[in-house]
Amino acid sequence: MWVLNLGGPVKVAKLNQDQAIEQGAEILGETVIFGIAALCLVLDYMRSSRKEAAKEIAAQERLKKMENGILEIGMLSERQDAQIRELTRAVMALKPKNIKLQEYVPQQVKIEFEPQPETVVLVETDTDHHKH
C-alpha cells in the first residue's frame, strides 16, 4: 500500500456471523448472475457467428452459380459464333461470284453486372430448345 501511495493499512471491522453469511450470499448471487449473463453473451455471439457464416456460404454458392451461368453463356456464344462462321462460309460457297456479302466478324462482348441477391440465370441448351 505504501508503494502505491494509497496510505497506510486500514483496519476492517470484524463481521459477525450473520453479516458474513449475508455478504457471502450476496457476492455468490451476483457472481451467479454475472456468470449467467456472460454465458448468454457468449452463446449469442456464437449463434450470430454461425448465422453470418451461413449467410457467407449462401452468398458464395450464389456467386458460384452466377459464374457458372456466365461461363455457360460464354461457351454458348462461342459455339454460335462458330456456327455463324460456318454458315457464312457455306453461303459464300453457294452464292454467285458477282454478289458481295458482308463477311461475319464476331465481336467480343463485355458483360458487366452488379450481383443481385435474387438473380437467377437460366441457360437453355440447344438440345433443350429442340425438344419443345
Side-chain angles (χ1 to χ4, degrees):
M1 295 280 198
W2 181 75
V3 173
L4 298 176
N5 200 18
L6 295 175
V10 179
K11 288 193 173 187
V12 178
K14 279 190 164 184
L15 297 176
N16 65 24
Q17 189 174 5
D18 290 338
Q19 289 175 336
I21 291 173
E22 186 178 322
Q23 282 189 351
E26 187 176 321
I27 291 172
L28 180 63
E30 288 179 6
T31 303
V32 168
I33 290 172
F34 177 78
I36 290 172
L39 180 64
C40 288
L41 286 174
V42 168
L43 292 175
D44 188 49
Y45 175 77
M46 290 171 48
R47 180 188 60 84
S48 66
S49 295
R50 281 193 303 263
K51 190 175 180 180
E52 286 299 318
K55 281 183 183 179
E56 182 66 27
I57 290 171
Q60 290 294 330
E61 288 175 0
R62 189 171 51 247
L63 179 62
K64 189 69 175 171
K65 285 180 183 179
M66 291 171 64
E67 287 173 350
N68 289 339
I70 290 171
L71 288 175
E72 288 179 21
I73 290 170
M75 288 187 297
L76 179 63
S77 174
E78 288 176 14
R79 190 169 51 235
Q80 288 175 344
D81 284 341
Q83 289 172 344
I84 290 172
R85 281 192 301 275
E86 183 181 322
L87 290 172
T88 301
R89 276 188 228 112
V91 168
M92 295 296 253
L94 294 175
K95 76 168 184 76
K97 300 293 181 191
N98 59 353
I99 298 177
K100 285 191 171 184
L101 293 177
Q102 184 178 14
E103 187 172 328
Y104 171 76
V105 179
Q107 299 175 353
Q108 288 200 350
V109 177
K110 184 176 182 182
I111 300 174
E112 294 183 16
F113 66 95
E114 293 182 20
Q116 300 293 324
E118 293 84 27
T119 301
V120 176
V121 176
L122 297 176
V123 177
E124 184 176 289
T125 61
D126 290 339
T127 57
D128 292 340
H129 184 64
H130 293 297
K131 287 181 185 176
H132 298 295

